[in-house]
Amino acid sequence: MAIRRKYSVSDVQKVIHALISKLISATSPWTSWQAVYGYPEGEVFNFSKLLVYVDTPIKTGTLTHQGGRPAVTMEIVLGCWNSGGDEGTGGVEECDIAAGHLLDLFGDVDVYSTQFTVTLGATTYTNKTLYDHGIIVTGSTGPRNIPVEDPLEYRREVTVSLIVTF
Amino acid sequence: MAISSECRIDFTGWEAKSTRIKYAISEAVKEAIDYGMDELSRKVTQNLGGMRHKAGTKSPSPGKLPVTMISGNLHQAVRHKRIDLTRGAVFIDKNKAPYAVHVHYGTKKMRPRRFMSDAVAERREAIINRQRYLIKLKIRRAGGNPSEILGL
């Protein structure tokens, strides 16, 4: 279990970002997209690819059991934003494909077999899975259509529910 | 010679108790939904009640809750309504604050301030616990056993 209790919010966000970055670096069609840690602010809209952003997770509850340290339940928003440098190439369909891949990733046991490398604090964890980090996926919902300002901009959000153990 | 026997069971007490519990549950659910809507509206309003700043100036705390106010319209646009006996909704009046969706989900130039979903995530467990308590209490007062009826 690599997630640190006092840093659980940023650690979970880093782990999920590392997982998605790994897929983006190696697997088609993920390679057509770009992963962003946190909300994509103004300056990152120079990217020529669709953005997959990993927003800050929110703690939704605590799971207690006798004789053990409590686990926490969290929700994390993952978004797809087709915009920026390429003015939304692929259009709404590309955005829906990305959202579909996110939903499928977190709705399938394959999510536990992807190995990725992440640095939490001063320690680098090489080729670990989500399960090795103590994260269990309990569900994913969406995609929600998010209203945007520009006509050549498309945005969807998926919410993933997690149990984080320490 | 015929032998006959008769056994009469009086269910009137059971029926009265059953009716009483059914009524208690419907009243408790109504109260629980009202509580949920009140609590959520309170939290959402709190998330929208940041400090005031002048129009045309940048928010002193971008991307953070509570949302800072310019006109205060969004802060005053929190509404709730009962949909039916078991459902209620907390929402933002679009006519009062049509920009609410952009504040909540963010734009290219503005970080999101998820005043609604953060309120739900933060208060969900407390609301459910309180609702469960209210329903159990009403059932117990009506003479029922909550663990038998609700399986809790």
Side-chain angles (χ1 to χ4, degrees), chain A residues 36-130:
Chain A
V36 178
Y37 179 85
Y39 185 75
E41 290 180 65
E43 58 266 31
V44 302
F45 277 97
N46 303 322
F47 288 148
S48 57
K49 293 176 173 180
L50 177 144
L51 304 178
V52 176
Y53 60 91
V54 182
D55 212 346
T56 312
I58 308 163
K59 183 189 164 190
T60 54
T62 309
L63 297 173
T64 50
H65 58 280
Q66 196 176 357
R69 300 190 76 175
V72 296
T73 54
M74 282 187 163
E75 276 181 6
I76 189 164
V77 172
L78 307 175
C80 315
W81 203 325
N82 200 5
S83 174
D86 66 346
E87 292 189 319
T89 302
V92 68
E93 194 183 354
E94 181 82 355
C95 204
D96 285 336
I97 290 169
H101 274 73
L102 283 172
L103 276 177
D104 181 57
L105 173 68
F106 289 98
D108 192 9
V109 286
D110 280 353
V111 74
Y112 298 114
S113 59
T114 307
Q115 293 185 329
F116 54 92
T117 299
V118 65
T119 303
L120 304 175
T123 316
T124 301
Y125 298 89
T126 310
N127 292 335
K128 297 285 181 196
T129 63
L130 210 55

Side-chain angles (χ1 to χ4, degrees), chain B:
Chain B
M1 198 172 98
I3 300 170
S4 69
S5 67
E6 197 175 69
C7 176
R8 285 174 186 246
I9 302 170
D10 183 2
F11 276 114
T12 51
W14 179 85
E15 207 178 320
K17 186 177 175 182
S18 171
T19 310
R20 218 165 49 231
I21 290 170
K22 267 186 200 166
Y23 179 74
I25 290 175
S26 70
E27 285 298 299
V29 167
K30 217 185 286 177
E31 205 175 307
I33 297 294
D34 283 344
Y35 172 79
M37 289 194 302
D38 285 347
E39 184 63 17
L40 211 51
S41 303
R42 195 188 58 76
K43 185 66 198 169
V44 172
T45 308
Q46 192 184 324
N47 281 349
L48 292 169
M51 62 185 286
R52 281 188 181 271
H53 64 102
K54 283 183 184 170
T57 60
K58 280 194 171 182
S59 165
S61 54
K64 286 182 184 158
L65 291 173
V67 178
T68 51
M69 291 190 274
I70 295 175
S71 65
N73 281 349
L74 183 52
H75 183 243
Q76 292 160 12
V78 184
R79 308 272 186 271
H80 59 85
K81 73 169 180 187
R82 176 174 286 283
I83 297 167
D84 56 33
L85 189 68
T86 55
R87 288 184 302 164
V90 176
F91 61 99
I92 299 293
D93 183 353
K94 255 167 63 175
N95 299 323
K96 180 99 178 154
Y99 52 89
V101 74
H102 295 302
V103 175
H104 191 272
Y105 291 113
T107 65
K108 274 183 185 178
K109 293 167 193 153
M110 183 172 68
R111 285 193 221 163
R113 282 160 292 176
R114 299 178 194 265
F115 54 85
M116 190 69 87
S117 48
D118 277 19
V120 173
E122 200 179 305
R123 300 303 300 155
R124 179 163 45 202
E125 208 173 2
I127 290 171
I128 291 171
N129 283 343
R130 178 73 186 171
Q131 288 177 327
R132 192 177 287 151
Y133 168 78
L134 283 172
I135 293 169
K136 276 181 170 180
L137 186 72
K138 292 265 179 182
I139 291 173
R140 202 169 288 127
R141 278 184 184 161
N145 182 348
S147 28
E148 273 177 15
I149 293 162
L150 303 172
L152 296 170

